[in-house]
Amino acid sequence: MTMKGGVASQDFSTAIATVVEPATSVWSKVCVALKRELGDAAFGSWIAPAALREAAAGDVVLVTSTGIARDWIRRSAWRRIGELWAANDPTGRRIDLKSRLEFEAALAGNGGAYIEAAPKAATAEPIEIVLPVSSDVPAPITKSTRTQGLQERFTFETFVPGPANEFAHAVARRIANWADGHFNPVLFHGPYGFGKTHLLNALAWEAMRNAPEKRVVYLTAERFLSTFVRALMDRQTAAFKEELRAADLLIIDDVHFIAGKQSTQEELFHTLTALVGDGGRVVFSADRPPSAMTEMDAHLRSHLSAGLVCGLEPADRNLRLGILERKIQTLAVAHGFEPTMRPDVLQFLADRFTDSVRELEGALNTLSARAGEGLSRMTLDEVQAVLRPHLRSGEKRITIDDIQKATSEHYGMKQADLLSERRNRAVARPRQAAMWLAKQLTTRSLPDIGRRFGGRDHTTVLHAVRRIEALRAEDSTLNHDLEVITRKLRG
């Protein structure tokens, strides 16, 4: 049976027909011997997914799903396949080896004269392969790349470096430049909202621009899991492995997601060791360092620790202000308004949303949606009114007593000292810091705060708040102290 014309524009499956018994019989005998000689693992990974095709003229082609599988068979098993085929085929037909792409090209030029001589395996769901783009212009964002997880806005140009992330930023830049002497693998870790996904996206875009001929694969750990499970169900694990292991750079976001999923962990372990052994580069992100992933397989955890483990710290105040300014500029360009905000509003946002950069950006997006081009004119009272529903939602209620206890513990003093009349700097500065925190983290009025600090006047509290604001611009130690106390209070 022969199929004529139109094959090149059709799906691969439409270019096949019914099983031809002579070729099937010969190939079955060859496979029995190969499986015995190569072993189940090698046979199942490389030989079993291949399909035999036969032309009406008697030509036979073994078609592999990828070029990598073709090369492995040619290097490791082709001579033996030829011997076994010759020994079992009484007609003496010649057998050829092609990848699927090569076969489809030949098929189109041959008028579709091949039929299938072995059952066609189900096709696995394609994994998220990011194709190289031109290095001369910014990467075009298409529907395909969006579905693969890379986001247009996450580039190095929109990433704001600072003390909390400057080392991670430098490492990512070095990887993206394909610099020699890299650590492998590299794992960036930090809690949700610290910029890991942004950094990995930026790394992927830059790596493709710098080396368009190289193959970059980016996917989330969840996508890795779901695609691997689908490949198992469709008996296409070999194709899944080949696609990943052909990468020059493999990037997996949120690798902690697969902890506890044994078969997926094993597959990732083998993928990691294979890529590193072949000189490929591997980058992960996680919400914590490998040492804290106690539910993860010990072998995989050890390999994640073997390269460079790079932490991202919480953004400090200056970095949060920088992120806000960059975000405002982006919004202004997109919506056509003045890229400014009142300084007291910026300071309020930077001081109030300290736990996550995403929360900080979300607050600014909320204000932009409400005010539009009037964003630059919003007062602090208006901003607080708009954000009030979001400020206390799901958050631990912090009292002035909590603040006094946390501040006194941080500075190694007694809580009673904060309420005393002592005015030496060792006591006065922590007291002012505690008053500033009370103003930032509670809804108490200045007079009420003053009363809770030993019956002081509201003007004393106002002076303390202004003094701390002024010192923060030049005192990094004070900034750090306030950040630590705030994180402790918020749990």
Side-chain angles (χ1 to χ4, degrees):
M1 182 182 297
T2 303
M3 297 181 66
K4 300 289 185 181
V7 176
S9 62
Q10 300 177 15
D11 184 77
F12 185 68
S13 61
T14 64
I16 60 175
T18 57
V19 172
V20 178
E21 183 62 30
T24 303
S25 298
V26 175
W27 182 239
S28 295
K29 295 174 183 177
V30 172
C31 286
V32 170
L34 285 174
K35 187 174 183 180
R36 182 174 61 250
E37 295 175 11
L38 295 174
D40 291 345
F43 179 86
S45 296
W46 302 105
I47 306 296
L52 201 68
R53 304 287 189 269
E54 185 179 14
D59 297 333
V60 178
V61 180
L62 182 64
V63 181
T64 63
S65 56
T66 68
I68 297 174
R70 175 205 60 203
D71 293 343
W72 186 94
I73 292 175
R74 179 167 286 133
R75 182 176 62 250
S76 305
W78 190 239
R79 177 178 295 180
R80 183 55 178 155
I81 287 175
E83 293 172 350
L84 292 170
W85 182 269
N88 289 280
D89 182 19
T91 63
R93 289 172 293 186
R94 175 179 175 272
I95 184 172
D96 196 6
L97 175 67
K98 293 182 183 294
S99 70
R100 180 170 174 170
L101 290 176
E102 291 174 332
F103 178 76
E104 287 179 335
L107 189 67
N110 199 32
Y114 280 89
I115 57 176
E116 187 175 29
K120 182 179 182 293
T123 302
E125 183 179 352
I127 64 175
E128 296 172 319
I129 301 299
V130 179
L131 299 177
V133 297
S134 170
S135 60
D136 299 326
V137 295
I141 305 303
T142 65
K143 179 179 179 181
S144 175
T145 56
R146 284 198 188 101
T147 60
Q148 290 158 356
L150 283 179
Q151 299 186 49
E152 179 181 10
R153 62 193 180 97
F154 288 159
T155 66
F156 281 129
E157 287 70 30
T158 58
F159 189 86
V160 182
N165 61 29
E166 59 186 356
F167 178 62
H169 177 255
V171 170
R173 281 280 197 183
R174 184 170 179 81
I175 298 169
N177 289 329
W178 301 94
D180 293 331
H182 63 284
F183 294 94
N184 208 13
V186 173
L187 185 141
F188 298 103
H189 70 87
Y192 174 83
F194 277 32
K196 302 183 300 297
T197 296
H198 189 151
L199 200 62
L200 263 59
N201 273 251
L203 194 164
W205 288 125
E206 192 74 7
M208 290 187 291
R209 291 169 187 158
N210 288 331
E213 77 282 0
K214 292 184 181 293
R215 184 184 180 95
V216 177
V217 177
Y218 172 94
L219 63 162
T220 64
E222 182 179 8
R223 181 63 173 167
F224 179 94
L225 170 64
S226 63
T227 309
F228 175 61
V229 171
R230 178 65 178 271
L232 284 174
M233 294 172 63
D234 291 344
R235 303 182 68 181
Q236 285 288 292
T237 55
F240 173 81
K241 294 175 182 179
E242 291 157 22
E243 293 289 358
L244 287 183
R245 297 176 192 185
D248 295 293
L249 171 61
L250 173 64
I251 305 171
I252 299 182
D253 200 3
D254 292 332
V255 71
H256 57 271
F257 179 82
I258 68 168
K261 301 171 177 65
Q262 191 58 39
S263 60
T264 309
Q265 289 182 106
E266 291 176 1
E267 179 56 36
L268 181 59
F269 171 78
H270 292 303
T271 297
L272 171 60
T273 54
L275 276 171
V276 172
D278 290 339
R281 306 186 180 198
V282 186
V283 178
F284 299 109
S285 77
D287 63 353
R288 54 195 182 276
S291 59
M293 299 182 198
T294 55
E295 67 277 28
M296 184 170 280
D297 177 79
H299 290 90
L300 178 57
R301 190 168 68 244
S302 175
H303 273 65
L304 293 177
S305 303
L308 176 61
V309 178
C310 186
L312 281 79
E313 300 297 327
D316 62 17
R317 188 175 192 252
N318 288 334
L319 180 54
R320 292 196 299 272
L321 286 170
I323 291 170
L324 283 171
E325 291 170 357
R326 180 69 60 85
K327 179 69 174 177
I328 291 168
Q329 291 174 358
T330 302
L331 290 172
V333 170
H335 301 291
F337 58 77
E338 186 178 356
T340 59
M341 287 188 77
R342 294 166 60 105
D344 58 337
V345 171
L346 285 174
Q347 291 167 8
F348 167 76
L349 293 174
D351 292 333
R352 183 58 189 78
F353 297 93
T354 61
D355 295 334
S356 166
V357 172
R358 285 198 180 98
E359 291 181 1
L360 182 65
E361 292 183 335
L364 186 58
N365 287 334
T366 299
L367 295 175
S368 176
R370 290 287 296 272
E373 63 182 17
L375 183 66
S376 63
R377 299 188 296 273
M378 290 189 77
T379 67
L380 180 57
D381 288 341
E382 290 171 338
V383 167
Q384 290 175 328
V386 170
L387 296 179
R388 186 170 291 119
H390 309 281
L391 296 180
R392 303 296 172 189
S393 177
E395 186 178 274
K396 173 186 174 183
R397 181 175 178 271
I398 299 173
T399 66
I400 292 179
D401 186 60
D402 293 333
I403 292 171
Q404 291 173 347
K405 288 179 180 178
T407 304
S408 58
E409 288 176 3
H410 180 80
Y411 286 105
M413 56 194 298
K414 297 178 180 179
Q415 185 175 349
D417 292 335
L418 298 177
L419 313 182
S420 70
E421 295 297 325
R422 295 173 58 188
R423 297 186 179 183
N424 58 305
R425 181 167 177 163
V427 175
R429 187 55 48 76
R431 182 189 296 130
Q432 290 175 331
M435 289 180 176
W436 181 87
L437 288 166
K439 178 67 172 64
Q440 297 296 317
L441 303 177
T442 76
T443 57
R444 299 289 184 180
S445 65
L446 294 181
D448 195 13
I449 293 173
R451 284 192 293 270
R452 301 294 294 274
F453 278 85
R456 286 174 165 78
D457 188 82
H458 78 281
T459 57
T460 302
V461 180
L462 182 59
H463 171 75
V465 171
R466 289 175 175 173
R467 181 60 178 157
I468 293 298
E469 287 290 349
L471 288 171
R472 292 190 71 184
E474 56 190 37
D475 191 339
S476 59
T477 301
L478 175 62
N479 266 325
H480 177 73
D481 290 342
L482 294 171
E483 296 277 356
V484 170
I485 296 170
T486 298
R487 286 200 297 272
K488 181 176 180 180
L489 287 166
R490 288 179 172 162

